Amino acid sequence: MTMETHLLICSASPGLGALALHRLGGDTFMSSITPNPSFLAASTKTKMIYVASEKSKGSGRVTPVELNAERLSARTAQATGGNAAVHLCLDRTERFLFVANYQASRAPGDASLSAFSLSDSGDISNPIARFTHHGTGPDKRRQEGPHCHCVAISPDNRRLVAVDLGADRLFSYAFDSEAGRLSPKGETKTPEGAGPRHAAFHPNGRMLYVTGELDSTLLAFSVSDDGLQLAARMPATQHETDSRNYPSGILTTPDGHHLLVANRGADTIAVFWIDPQSGLPTLKAEYDCGGAFPRAIRFDRAARRLAVANQKSDGVALFAWDFADGKLSAEPTNIVPVKAPLDMLFVNPQ
């Protein structure tokens, strides 16, 4: 497998923000083709990259971006029907796109979750569904209303989970990729005040792992046809911090043996071992994140390199991942200087 040669980075640089295309070991090209970039998703089929714009005033939007010869070009953007498009994901067929809108309570009918079909060329086509979440939590500042923060599709492509920090809920949807249909399937309450942020399915689809941003926890849910059931709740970090810790990014290794969580406050990457029978995680080690306030974490396609977006230290730290031992390198192998990085992807220009 060819290793990716570039990093595409969402930067909250002064003003409207920018996309940074960094050639690993080389230079960085900055582009302002889409405003307020917050999160990325890439199609392996069309090579299109989808960029969510976290714009709190006015409608959020998603922009398809082509990467050719180390240059970025934007195609027609699509309004998401809500404000602050903060997260997105593709379905497993890469024919549909799901978007989480963090601000969906500014006007009646604002969408917390939007879904779109994609054309064969990767353009954003017709909206197939939009849903508005409801609910609040005990944190009056952060949970005064719904704040959808993440969308995650199950490995079998039949269940979509929308994680809502403001409502303290996981909203489940049944997905039919043949019909292009998304329909509500139930709600699961998280512990009060958890503030669920991001989620990752286990590769076998039997567990869902969720970071609790507001109570600094990792939540594990068993997955069945009957819904989601809380199976474990544990601290996201064992480090003492002077201020609150806010867990953020989360991912599982492709082999399903480990789970990684970014901790903002503790400034660590926590590595959990996953029991192969129960699917429950156990904290194995914590590593310094190579900066401050790690927001997103991403593996390359081979899962040999981990990128960490350290928002408050203006850099993306790269670590080596040892598959055999389930360990990160003790120190970053490289730090890419970028103003306030929010998310990134390993890419290969065509």
Side-chain angles (χ1 to χ4, degrees), residues 9-342:
I9 306 166
C10 293
S11 167
S13 57
L16 292 178
L19 288 174
L21 182 62
H22 173 77
R23 181 165 54 88
L24 292 169
D27 54 0
T28 300
F29 166 73
M30 302 297 291
S31 171
S32 57
I33 60 173
T34 183
N36 308 104
S38 61
F39 203 82
L40 305 167
S43 169
T44 58
K45 184 168 62 176
T46 65
K47 308 304 180 184
M48 197 71 71
I49 298 166
Y50 300 93
V51 185
S53 291
E54 191 176 350
K55 188 178 180 182
S56 60
K57 294 182 179 179
S59 178
R61 71 183 194 179
V62 177
T63 305
V65 171
E66 289 183 280
L67 173 56
N68 294 305
E70 299 192 7
R71 286 295 181 266
L72 303 170
S73 58
R75 292 193 181 179
T76 303
Q78 177 71 263
T80 64
N83 296 310
V86 71
H87 193 269
L88 44 73
C89 74
L90 292 161
D91 86 304
R92 303 294 174 176
T93 70
E94 298 185 354
R95 295 170 47 237
F96 299 92
L97 181 71
F98 309 108
V99 185
N101 294 309
Y102 188 78
Q103 296 285 2
S105 56
R106 300 294 178 87
D110 275 358
S112 297
L113 166 65
S114 303
F116 301 90
S117 62
L118 302 175
S119 70
D120 290 341
S121 61
D123 289 309
I124 302 174
S125 188
N126 299 323
I128 64 167
R130 54 188 294 175
F131 299 95
T132 301
H133 298 165
H134 299 280
T136 60
D139 188 321
K140 301 305 181 185
R141 186 177 67 88
R142 298 290 309 280
Q143 297 183 305
E144 81 293 349
H147 292 303
C148 191
H149 215 312
C150 170
V151 279
I153 191 72
S154 61
D156 66 5
N157 212 38
R158 297 173 58 189
R159 181 194 302 266
L160 182 79
V161 174
V163 180
D164 201 299
L165 183 149
D168 268 342
R169 284 174 170 83
L170 308 178
F171 293 84
S172 293
Y173 296 87
F175 179 58
D176 183 340
S177 62
E178 291 296 324
R181 184 170 57 245
L182 192 67
S183 53
K185 195 176 181 178
E187 304 173 11
T188 304
K189 291 185 178 180
T190 61
E192 190 175 65
R197 178 185 173 92
H198 275 196
F201 277 96
H202 190 279
N204 65 21
R206 294 196 293 269
M207 297 294 294
L208 178 74
Y209 308 103
V210 180
T211 50
E213 176 175 333
L214 301 183
D215 68 354
S216 187
T217 58
L218 170 63
L219 308 172
F221 292 84
S222 60
V223 180
S224 69
D225 290 339
D226 295 329
L228 307 175
Q229 183 69 39
L230 183 63
R233 180 189 187 193
M234 63 199 67
T237 178
Q238 289 190 342
H239 285 218
E240 296 291 334
T241 60
D242 294 331
S243 58
R244 291 179 65 176
N245 181 64
Y246 299 96
S248 50
I250 184 171
L251 53 79
T252 57
T253 55
D255 58 14
H257 294 167
H258 293 90
L259 174 74
L260 281 71
V261 172
N263 285 297
R264 299 173 298 173
D267 289 339
T268 64
I269 305 301
V271 176
F272 294 81
W273 174 75
I274 298 176
D275 184 278
Q277 300 301 318
S278 67
L280 298 181
T282 300
L283 183 63
K284 178 178 178 180
E286 279 193 74
Y287 301 84
D288 186 284
C289 68
F293 216 66
R295 178 179 167 111
I297 51 177
R298 296 272 200 171
F299 276 125
D300 65 4
R301 282 184 300 171
R304 298 293 185 182
R305 296 174 293 180
L306 180 78
V308 180
N310 288 313
Q311 184 177 355
K312 291 188 177 181
S313 56
D314 297 333
V316 174
L318 302 179
F319 293 84
W321 174 255
D322 186 327
F323 246 120
D325 294 329
K327 294 180 179 180
L328 283 179
S329 56
E331 301 287 339
T333 59
N334 189 21
I335 295 180
V336 179
V338 173
K339 181 69 175 179
L342 305 179

